[in-house]
Amino acid sequence: MTYNETIDYLYSRLPVFHRVGSKALKPGLGNTIKLCAALGNPHEKFLSIHVGGTNGKGSTSHMLASIYGEAGLKVGLYTSPHLYSFTERIRINGQPIPEAEVVQFVERNNALVEDIEPSFFELTVAMAFDYFAREQVDLAIIEVGLGGRLDSTNIITPLVSVITNISYDHMDVLGDTLAAIAGEKAGIIKPGIPAVIGEWVAETRPVFQAEADKKNAPISFASDRFSVTDLGVVKERRQLTISDRNEPQQPPFSCELDLLGAYQIQNIPAILQTVDLLQNRFPVSRSTLGRGLANTVQNTGLQGRFQTIHTTPRVIVDTAHNEAGIRALLQTIYTIPHTQLRIVFGVVADKNAQPVLDQLPRTAVYYLCKADSPRSLAVDKLAVYFAANQLTFREFNTVNEALKQSIHDSKFGELVIVTGSTYVVSEVNKLTL
C-alpha cells in the first residue's frame, strides 16, 4: 500500500473519534493491552512522562519535549489529534514519523488489526509505542487522548503523571461535574509514581489528593509553588518571570515563550515542577530550560496555538474548543490592539456548544462555517444562536471560503481569528492567504 492508501484503510476500517465522536470509543484498555502484547510490550521499553488534563495538555507536552530535546535527549512525543498530517501525532525530536514507517507498521500488523478490531486511536497509540521502542528514545512525552482512566495511553507506567487542569469538556463521556471529570483525569495517577497538578479548584483538589493517597503517590500542586508573572509580548515572544516559593531568597527567573497565548502561563508551573522532579535522572540547567521554552514551535513543530499565519490583516488560528479555552483565547485577543475583530467560527455537533457561544464577544463580526467532518455542526443550526442574540454574521459552506471573505472584508488595524474547533483550524489553507 501507499501511504495515502494506508491512511484511507485506517479511516475506513477503524472507528475514528474525530469523525464519529464518542461512538468511536471502546471502553477499557483491553484492546491496547492485546495490541501491545502482540508487539512485545513496547511501552515497557522506554521511559515516559504522561500528560493529561482538559486544556493545555498538548502545549505542555510539546514544551516538555522541547526542553528535554534541548537537554540533548532523544525525545519521543505522542499527541492527538493532528492538524494537517497523521504523522504529526508521532514525533522524535520534532521530526514526524516517516510515512514509510506508518505503511510498514500497518502491513506488518494487518492480521492483528483484523483480529482485534481496535479503534483508530488504540492502533495509533500502539504504533507510537512500537516506534519509540524501536528507535530507543531516551524519554517519551505521552499526551492523554480523552479522559485518563480508560484512555489507551494509560497502560504506561511513567516517571511522572501530569494533569494540567480540569474544566468542562466531553461531558457525555467524562461526567457533568468538575469532580467527576477530575476523577477520570486522575486515573492516570499510578501507585508510587509522582503526580503533578498544574491548576486546581475547590472541587478538584480533594479528588486528586484522594487518588494520590489511595495509590501512595507523591503529589504536588505546582501552582502552590511557582508564581508566574506575565510581562507581555516583546518581539513575538511572551516574556515571563517565575518565582519559586520554595526558594524565596532566589531572584525571579526570567524566560520567554514562542507560544504567544497568555493562557500558556498557566502551563508553566506544572512544567517546572515536572522538570524539578526529574533533575536527578535528566538534569536540566536554567539556560537549557529557557531555550526549550523559547523554541517550542521550532523544536517540536507545534501548530494551531495562537499562531499567526498572515500579517496584513493579522490572522491568528487557535484550536480553542471549549468554554475555558475560548475564554482564555479571548483574554489574549483583548491584549492585542485592533479596531475590529472578525472571527471565523465553527463547532462540533456532539457537545453542548452553549457555554462556548456564551463567551463570544457581541461586537465581533462572525463568519460561520462547517469543517468537513461528520461531527461538525451544520452552519444553519449554528446560525440560529447568532440570529437569536442579534450578532453580526454570515454563513459559508467551507472554512476557507469564510476565511477568504474575512480577509477581504478587513481594513487596516483589524484582526481575524479562526477558532471553535480543531477541525476548523486543520482546514485552513495557508497557501491561499
Side-chain angles (χ1 to χ4, degrees), residues 32 92 160 163 167 191 211 264 291-293 308 336 376 396 422 432:
T32 308
I92 294 178
V160 182
I163 301 174
S167 56
E211 188 70 14
Q264 295 293 352
R291 289 196 307 274
L293 292 173
T308 297
I336 300 175
S376 295
F396 296 86
T422 299
T432 67

Side-chain angles (χ1 to χ4, degrees), residues 119-134:
S119 70
F120 180 88
F121 187 78
E122 289 168 334
L123 186 68
T124 303
V125 168
M127 183 188 301
F129 292 172
D130 179 71
Y131 183 58
F132 294 156
R134 286 188 293 106

